[in-house]
Structure formats: structure tokens, C-alpha cells
Amino acid sequence: MNRPAKKSLITLLTDFGHKDHYVGTMKGVILSINPAANIIDLCHEIDQGDIDAAAFALSAAYRYFANGTIHVVVVDPSVGSARRALAVKTKDYYFVAPDNGVLSPIFRNERDMRVFHLTNKEYMLPETSFTFHGRDVFAPMAAYLSTGIAIAKLGNPVDDFVISRPTEPHLKGNMIIGQVVYTDRFGNLVTNIDKSYLMDVEEIRLDHIRLKGIVDYYSQVEEGAAAALVGSHGNLEICIRNGNAATSLNVQKGDPVEVFSSRSVVQQS
Amino acid sequence: MNRPAKKSLITLLTDFGHKDHYVGTMKGVILSINPAANIIDLCHEIDQGDIDAAAFALSAAYRYFANGTIHVVVVDPSVGSARRALAVKTKDYYFVAPDNGVLSPIFRNERDMRVFHLTNKEYMLPETSFTFHGRDVFAPMAAYLSTGIAIAKLGNPVDDFVISRPTEPHLKGNMIIGQVVYTDRFGNLVTNIDKSYLMDVEEIRLDHIRLKGIVDYYSQVEEGAAAALVGSHGNLEICIRNGNAATSLNVQKGDPVEVFSSRSVVQQS
Amino acid sequence: MNRPAKKSLITLLTDFGHKDHYVGTMKGVILSINPAANIIDLCHEIDQGDIDAAAFALSAAYRYFANGTIHVVVVDPSVGSARRALAVKTKDYYFVAPDNGVLSPIFRNERDMRVFHLTNKEYMLPETSFTFHGRDVFAPMAAYLSTGIAIAKLGNPVDDFVISRPTEPHLKGNMIIGQVVYTDRFGNLVTNIDKSYLMDVEEIRLDHIRLKGIVDYYSQVEEGAAAALVGSHGNLEICIRNGNAATSLNVQKGDPVEVFSSRSVVQQS
């Protein structure tokens, strides 16, 4: 396995946080196998075991990387159990992750997919722990992929991988009922309501909050005021200017958001 | 725009934190434009919208990077509004940041400056959001700069950029009245009193605290004791050995610090 | 000192956190000296001045990096005092750190060691502060090492460096009395009881907790239940599935952990 180093881009998305050496150790493993790999941290502060949040972050970020990038996700509450480790090749990207639904947005959106169950111990560390597959399985698999090893060598093709159902908003006449799907560092409340639904919006309701229409950017409202806008993910977001909507409004993931338009939002087909 | 990759150093200084994918996504954008860029995190835990803290961090760090480094700052509470995005070329460095005063230390200290308002959409992402110019404007502009695009191609020269006034200490006879301008992770209180003022110091006063003279290093005082010393920024700092001066002394940015010397500190001119 | 850039791997392990520019500034210094250095963050959230935690992280991670890697540790509560700065060359690695015991695991485990007191000001920054040797001493020393400067040029050989005593478990008949030596982000309690001791385990006691035997992986027990397993460091760990053992069980570093086996654990020799 003495292969020439290859300048590949590998991203890491984990719930390992920054308190420990875990992410650093994964990088050591990757660079030992491919010293020319360029490793980028996508995010490591996913809440412990929060598969939905990891899927959200991956979904929002992965397309901004160049074709050929290898995206590694290690949010893996069932590490060590029979849950499978996967590698996926799509038209433009590679993904390496546990088979727990964290790749659902990829499975829904990408084309020309090939999915493999990672079983070839030749491409794992010699001793694999039951608790740190990030180091022992996912990092080396991604590193070998980055050296040009064919994905089919890493394991067996599968087609029964885990896909979670997306949370789609409900449409009823001139009303859209969506929900908060993510809250970010700033306390911005990201909903599952795509901007394509936001035509002729009259009012947005979230708990006791009533917002008249949609603004373009945060500083269009007064300091401390709530506002609705289309966020960087292309979805409706509720925010508080220079404040934290999640804590101030006491809103959590899953809480409903209602949008009222001046005309029907149900498409005729 | 198919240009050869160039090994450029780009630093990122933001208030995006580590909870989300935002910094990772900016890096994806940069590396898609210049795969050979070397991206270094200067700091991402600036408090939300704290322009002063970002200016302090930039000011403290930027000169330690090699000539030619591109420093990107995205602390941008008015993102999406009419506030301008800037690129600056100085004798030794490039800077890319919003026009909100965050580059004030650069404007005050650097020479041979040229400042441009970033308007050329050719060097932004095709779709620019109103809320994430880090991804859509600042990252691509910095990346194109790093490939060797001339800065003048990115926009129009301007000379009416925002500069905040520095907080200078007041000198009165043998007394210097400064203030706390930054508190770091360890709770060390960085003041705006330059070490050049610290001759024949007899006493330092901070709220009810009285410190006799200045020590060289933390462990010169007892565990838990407060001390005054010249910190790594070249300014007077108040600290507590193996403790946190900010929380223990309940001191905040802007609080006054008085230094009494045995002779006049007012320079004759 | 105009030497060709060399692709060396340098890791950084500090207690500088992420709030400030400190780590970024160290990277600026390193890359100014060796633009081709590949700098990897091992961890920066070591508790302020926690030498044991830094030694633990270093010990757990360093072997996963390729031979020749330069590991830099800056957890340095006595910075500026007479405590020495060291560079160490072992058979496979380099280490740069203060002489305060943080390299104890290296001194105990590595072979063919040469240890140097870093005194050569030619390889420090021109002005060295009393409070930020990470920037002024450790970063430049590591960077010069990475360019191929011989370690013996950096200072004088020493053999009286600080080594802390390891905390070894006590063995008594069929009982092992160890202790918690580290708690990680997830609240997992890492003990000093090596897996080689864990034969025929009947019960594990930690405060009022009694655990029957050892499981392989977290999800073998119910949500919220405590479990004992061999963690990724090869030691006994106590965890709570999808929970936080450290906070839920109110356990801290140094707390005792007792393991009872069905046969004597004391080796005959």
C-alpha cells in the first residue's frame, strides 16, 4: 500500500467537540496514510449524537466544495454495534459515514450513487476499538480513498442503507405550516420552508410572535426586534437583530412556524 | 477565470463560532477557487458582532504572518445592508472585510494603502444571499485575490472608509488613566496603556484593587493573587495567577485602570 | 537562515482555547519561518494550566502521526519564570514543550531520546515576551526544527528534566483499585486501569454505582444506563449511553474505581 501521495480534499464533520484530542488524532491517521491530504474541519460541535443536525450541516455545506472532495461524517451514537460503516460515491463527491441516516440528504439529492458497506479490514487500522471508529475505520477509509484506492475495494455494494424522511411543510390554502429544523450559533431559527413558498407573505406566526412580512437583512429591523427573512440556506429564518431568537423566544427544533400568504400556496397540477 | 493555483496564505477571523458549518463552508468556497490556498483560522469566537474585539485580535496577530498574507475578517452585524465590502492592499498585506470600522487598526498603522469597494459580481458567488457574505462575497473575493487577480479588478477605489477612534489613555502629571480594552480566555485584562508609559510605576488601581508595581511574569505572585505586568500585546495587563481576573474582579471592557508613577508621565515637547 | 521550505507536520496542543487570536498567531509565526509546514491542531481546550490533561491528550494522540512529526505542547502556567523550554528527539518524533512534566509520558515510553534546553536566541523571535512563549519561543523553535535545523543547535543537552509519576492502579487479590484520570467531552470517565487487567470481571464500583461486567460498546445498554467498557485509549471507561457520566454520576478526576474479578489479578513472578 505504498502509493503516491495525492492532493485530495477531505472534510470532517463530527460531534467530537474541541475538548479532546479526538479530531486531531483522526487527522494524524489520515496524514499517515496520505501526507498530501488537505483536511478541512466542516464542524465538530454537533450536539452529541444529533444525526439530524449533522445531516443539516452536511447538506448546507457539501456543494461548496470542489468536485472530488471526500466528506467524512462521524456522528455515530451506535459505534461498535452492528450498524454499518458506509462509503458513497456520487457524481461529484465521496462520503464516508455510519449507516444511521446522517447521509439522508445525500441519498435524496445526489445522482449516480454507488454505496458500499466498509468491510475490508486492510483499509482500517490494525486494531479497531469498539468506541472510536472515527480513528480506526472512517479516517483510514477516507485516507485510502484519497490516495486513489477504488471505492469498490473498501467493501461490498449495498442498497438498503438508512434514509430518514425529510420534514416537509404542509400547505393548506393560503397557509404553510412548517417547523424549526435548526438553530445556529446566533440563535437564528432555520425552518423547513423553502423560499419558493414565500410569495405575497402577509404574516408569520411562531408561538405568540406575529411578524408582518419578510425583510431582506437583519439590520432592516430595530436592535432586539424579531424579523423573518430568507437565510443563507434558502429557507425562511426567524431571527432577532443582534440578539438570539432561540433563547429569547424560547423556541426549539420541531416547533411549528406558520406562514400566511395573500393567495393560495397550493400549486395546481 | 481558469488560473493556476497559487500557494497563498489566507487567514479567517469571524464571529461564526464553531457550532455551525459556516467557517467550513467559507473554506470550501475558497478552495474551490484556489485549491492551493493555505487557510489559517485566526479566531472564530469573537462575540456576536463585536467589531472592537475583532479589530483587537486582527491588530495583535496580523504582523506575525508573512508578507502577502490575505487577512479576511467577517464580523458583520449589518450584512446585507448598504454597508460596503472592502479589500485593502498595504505595503505587506491584503485585508478583506466589511466597511464597519473593523479594519481601523490597519488604516491607522499601515502604509501605502489602497482601498477598494468590492462591487465586481464576477468575483462573488453567482447567487449572493443577504445574510452570509462570508460565503458569498468575502471568501470568493479573498480566493480570487490569492490566485493573483489584481485588487483593482475587484471594485472601485474609495477613501471614505470607516475608521473608529482609538481609545487612548489620558496622562495627568504622574497619573495615567487608561481602560480595559479586551479580556482574554484566561480572564487577563488587557488595557490600552502601552508599556512605554510604564516607567517608575508605584501603584496600579482598578476598582478597589491596589497593585504595587509591575511584575515580569504570572508565577512571580502567589496562586490566586492579582498582578500587573506587560502582556504579550505590549500593553499593561492585570491578571490573577492561575485564576480569572475578569470574573474574580468583576471587571469589564471599558472599566478604568489608573497607573501612578513616581515621576511625571507627560512628555515635554 | 534562508532555508528551503520543507513539508513537515507540526501539531499544536495548548490551553489557549478558541476565544482569542493566540493559536492563530502561533501559526503565523510558524508559517513565516517554514511556509510549507502542515500545522494540525491536536487540541486547544485543555483546562487552563492542566498539565495532566495535556499529557493525557499527547499520550493518546502522538503515535497516530507519521514519523518525523513535531509535537508542540504549550500548557505552561509558569511561562516567563526560570522553568526551561525543551526540545526532545526520540526515535520517531520531535517534541517541543515547557519542562513542567507535560512530556512525562514521552519520557517514560519513548526510546533513543535526546533532550535539549532551548537557549539559542537565534531561533526565537527577536523580542520575547514574558507571557506568550507559545508565540515567541515554542512556535519558532518548532518551525526551525521543521526546516531541518539540527536539534542540537537549539540549545544544550540536559538530562534532569521533570517527569511526573504515573498514577498506577493498585492490585489486591482479586481487586483492582484505580482512578478516573480523564473525563472527555461526552462525560466518559477514562480510568488508569489497562484492559490487560480486565479478565473475568464480575463487578465495577464507582461511588454508589455497581456495574456487572464489561460491555463491548455503548449501545449495548439502554439509553441513559451506565456501562463499563474498554475505551479507545485501551483503558477501562465508565460511560452513560447517550448521556454524560461525569455530570450524572458527579465523578471527577482522581475519584476511585474498583474492579472485582473472579480470580486474582496479582501476577505471579
Side-chain angles (χ1 to χ4, degrees):
Chain A
M1 283 186 291
N2 205 341
R3 327 192 114 249
K6 219 183 121 187
K7 295 212 170 179
S8 298
L9 194 52
I10 298 176
T11 77
L12 302 182
L13 171 60
T14 77
D15 62 354
F16 290 161
H18 291 83
K19 180 183 185 298
D20 309 299
H21 65 89
Y22 299 142
V23 172
T25 296
M26 283 182 65
K27 294 179 181 174
V29 170
I30 291 170
L31 293 169
S32 295
I33 293 166
N34 184 0
N38 190 4
I39 307 172
I40 296 292
D41 299 302
L42 207 49
C43 181
H44 298 295
E45 291 291 345
I46 300 294
D47 283 344
Q48 180 178 359
D50 190 340
I51 292 169
D52 287 351
F56 179 85
L58 178 67
S59 174
Y62 80 93
R63 287 194 200 85
Y64 290 94
F65 287 81
N67 288 1
T69 298
I70 299 166
H71 295 293
V72 181
V73 188
V74 191
V75 175
D76 191 14
S78 300
V79 58
S81 73
R83 74 93 189 88
R84 301 179 298 192
L86 301 179
V88 180
K89 186 181 188 323
T90 69
K91 183 167 167 292
D92 296 327
Y93 298 106
Y94 294 89
F95 301 87
V96 178
D99 184 20
N100 60 14
V102 76
L103 294 182
S104 297
I106 307 308
F107 294 145
R108 289 197 293 260
N109 299 333
E110 290 290 301
R111 300 175 175 281
D112 303 337
M113 277 201 309
R114 297 166 65 204
V115 184
F116 295 85
H117 175 197
L118 299 173
T119 52
N120 192 341
K121 287 184 188 301
E122 194 181 346
Y123 302 110
M124 302 178 190
L125 290 201
E127 281 184 68
T128 58
S129 69
F130 282 101
T131 57
F132 193 5
H133 284 191
R135 177 190 68 189
D136 304 334
V137 177
F138 296 108
M141 287 284 179
Y144 282 115
L145 262 183
S146 78
T147 64
I149 296 274
I151 191 169
K153 286 200 172 177
L154 304 181
N156 306 312
V158 288
D159 58 8
D160 59 343
F161 37 82
V162 177
I163 312 182
S164 68
R165 290 181 48 166
T167 55
E168 297 285 1
H170 298 285
L171 310 184
K172 275 194 201 173
N174 66 339
M175 185 178 168
I176 305 155
I177 308 169
Q179 59 177 272
V180 173
V181 291
Y182 187 76
T183 64
D184 74 5
R185 187 228 180 165
F186 303 107
N188 297 328
L189 305 166
V190 185
T191 74
N192 62 344
I193 301 173
D194 188 84
K195 65 182 169 188
S196 61
Y197 293 122
L198 302 177
M199 300 298 188
D200 305 309
V201 170
E202 296 201 319
E203 189 172 85
I204 288 151
R205 295 185 189 170
L206 170 64
D207 193 32
H208 61 286
I209 305 290
R210 301 284 178 274
L211 298 169
K212 296 291 172 199
I214 288 180
V215 300
D216 280 335
Y217 50 88
Y218 305 122
S219 53
Q220 249 173 304
V221 299
E222 288 176 30
E223 284 273 323
L229 45 68
V230 175
S232 62
H233 306 97
N235 287 5
L236 178 70
E237 283 186 31
I238 315 292
C239 62
I240 287 182
R241 181 180 171 190
N242 289 339
N244 186 305
T247 54
S248 296
L249 307 180
N250 195 23
V251 172
Q252 293 177 323
K253 201 181 88 166
D255 285 357
V257 177
E258 296 168 340
V259 177
F260 296 83
S261 295
S262 59
R263 60 180 179 80
S264 174
V265 291
V266 184
Q267 290 194 313
Q268 321 279 335
S269 58
Chain B
M1 281 187 291
N2 205 339
R3 324 194 114 248
K6 220 182 120 186
K7 294 212 170 179
S8 299
L9 194 53
I10 298 177
T11 77
L12 303 182
L13 171 61
T14 77
D15 63 354
F16 291 161
H18 291 83
K19 181 184 185 297
D20 309 299
H21 65 88
Y22 299 143
V23 173
T25 296
M26 283 183 67
K27 294 179 181 175
V29 170
I30 291 169
L31 293 170
S32 295
I33 294 166
N34 183 0
N38 189 4
I39 307 171
I40 296 292
D41 299 302
L42 208 48
C43 182
H44 298 296
E45 290 292 345
I46 300 293
D47 283 344
Q48 180 179 359
D50 190 340
I51 292 169
D52 288 350
F56 178 85
L58 178 67
S59 174
Y62 79 94
R63 287 194 200 85
Y64 290 93
F65 287 81
N67 287 3
T69 298
I70 300 166
H71 295 292
V72 181
V73 189
V74 191
V75 175
D76 191 15
S78 299
V79 59
S81 73
R83 74 94 189 87
R84 302 179 297 192
L86 300 179
V88 180
K89 186 181 187 323
T90 70
K91 184 168 166 291
D92 296 328
Y93 299 106
Y94 294 89
F95 300 88
V96 178
D99 184 19
N100 59 14
V102 75
L103 293 182
S104 297
I106 308 307
F107 294 145
R108 290 196 293 260
N109 299 331
E110 289 290 301
R111 300 176 174 282
D112 304 337
M113 277 200 308
R114 298 166 66 203
V115 184
F116 295 85
H117 174 198
L118 300 173
T119 52
N120 192 340
K121 287 184 187 304
E122 194 180 347
Y123 302 110
M124 302 178 191
L125 290 201
E127 281 185 68
T128 58
S129 69
F130 282 100
T131 58
F132 193 6
H133 286 192
R135 176 191 69 189
D136 303 334
V137 178
F138 297 108
M141 288 283 179
Y144 282 116
L145 264 183
S146 78
T147 63
I149 296 275
I151 190 168
K153 287 200 171 176
L154 305 181
N156 306 314
V158 288
D159 59 7
D160 59 342
F161 36 82
V162 177
I163 312 183
S164 67
R165 289 181 49 167
T167 55
E168 296 286 359
H170 299 286
L171 310 184
K172 274 196 202 172
N174 65 340
M175 185 179 168
I176 306 155
I177 307 169
Q179 60 176 273
V180 173
V181 291
Y182 187 76
T183 63
D184 75 5
R185 187 230 179 163
F186 303 107
N188 297 328
L189 306 166
V190 184
T191 75
N192 62 344
I193 301 173
D194 188 84
K195 66 182 169 188
S196 60
Y197 292 123
L198 302 176
M199 301 298 188
D200 306 309
V201 170
E202 295 202 321
E203 190 171 83
I204 289 152
R205 295 186 190 169
L206 171 64
D207 193 32
H208 61 286
I209 304 290
R210 301 286 178 272
L211 297 169
K212 296 294 172 198
I214 289 180
V215 300
D216 280 334
Y217 50 89
Y218 307 122
S219 53
Q220 248 173 304
V221 300
E222 287 175 31
E223 284 274 323
L229 46 68
V230 175
S232 63
H233 308 96
N235 287 4
L236 179 70
E237 282 186 30
I238 315 291
C239 62
I240 287 183
R241 180 179 172 191
N242 289 341
N244 186 307
T247 54
S248 297
L249 308 180
N250 196 20
V251 172
Q252 293 178 323
K253 202 181 88 168
D255 285 356
V257 177
E258 297 168 339
V259 177
F260 295 84
S261 296
S262 59
R263 60 181 180 79
S264 174
V265 291
V266 184
Q267 289 193 315
Q268 321 280 335
S269 60
Chain C
M1 281 184 290
N2 206 339
R3 325 194 112 249
K6 219 182 120 187
K7 295 211 170 180
S8 298
L9 194 53
I10 297 176
T11 77
L12 301 181
L13 172 61
T14 77
D15 63 354
F16 291 161
H18 291 83
K19 179 184 186 298
D20 310 298
H21 65 88
Y22 299 142
V23 172
T25 296
M26 283 183 65
K27 293 179 182 175
V29 171
I30 291 170
L31 293 170
S32 295
I33 294 167
N34 183 1
N38 189 4
I39 307 172
I40 295 293
D41 300 303
L42 206 48
C43 181
H44 297 296
E45 291 290 346
I46 300 292
D47 284 343
Q48 181 178 357
D50 190 340
I51 293 169
D52 288 351
F56 179 84
L58 179 67
S59 174
Y62 79 94
R63 287 194 200 84
Y64 290 94
F65 287 81
N67 288 2
T69 298
I70 300 167
H71 295 292
V72 181
V73 188
V74 192
V75 176
D76 191 15
S78 299
V79 58
S81 73
R83 75 93 189 86
R84 302 179 296 193
L86 300 180
V88 180
K89 185 181 189 319
T90 70
K91 182 168 167 293
D92 297 328
Y93 298 106
Y94 294 89
F95 301 87
V96 178
D99 184 19
N100 61 13
V102 76
L103 294 182
S104 298
I106 307 306
F107 294 146
R108 289 197 293 260
N109 299 333
E110 289 291 300
R111 301 179 173 277
D112 303 336
M113 277 200 309
R114 298 166 64 203
V115 184
F116 295 86
H117 175 198
L118 300 173
T119 52
N120 192 339
K121 287 184 188 303
E122 194 180 347
Y123 302 110
M124 302 177 190
L125 290 200
E127 280 185 68
T128 59
S129 69
F130 282 100
T131 57
F132 193 5
H133 285 192
R135 176 190 69 190
D136 304 335
V137 177
F138 296 108
M141 287 284 178
Y144 282 115
L145 262 183
S146 79
T147 64
I149 296 276
I151 191 169
K153 287 199 171 178
L154 304 181
N156 307 312
V158 288
D159 59 7
D160 59 342
F161 37 81
V162 177
I163 312 181
S164 67
R165 288 180 49 166
T167 55
E168 297 286 359
H170 298 286
L171 311 185
K172 274 194 201 174
N174 66 339
M175 184 180 168
I176 305 156
I177 307 169
Q179 59 178 272
V180 173
V181 291
Y182 187 77
T183 62
D184 74 6
R185 188 230 178 164
F186 303 107
N188 297 327
L189 305 166
V190 185
T191 74
N192 63 344
I193 301 174
D194 188 85
K195 66 181 169 188
S196 61
Y197 293 122
L198 302 177
M199 301 297 188
D200 305 308
V201 171
E202 296 201 320
E203 189 172 84
I204 289 151
R205 295 186 190 169
L206 171 64
D207 193 32
H208 60 286
I209 305 290
R210 303 284 178 272
L211 298 168
K212 296 294 172 198
I214 289 179
V215 301
D216 281 335
Y217 50 88
Y218 306 122
S219 53
Q220 249 172 304
V221 299
E222 288 176 30
E223 284 274 323
L229 46 67
V230 175
S232 63
H233 306 96
N235 287 5
L236 179 70
E237 283 186 31
I238 315 291
C239 63
I240 287 182
R241 182 180 171 189
N242 288 341
N244 186 306
T247 54
S248 296
L249 307 180
N250 195 22
V251 172
Q252 293 179 324
K253 200 182 90 169
D255 285 357
V257 177
E258 296 168 340
V259 177
F260 295 84
S261 295
S262 59
R263 60 179 180 80
S264 174
V265 290
V266 184
Q267 290 193 313
Q268 320 281 334
S269 59

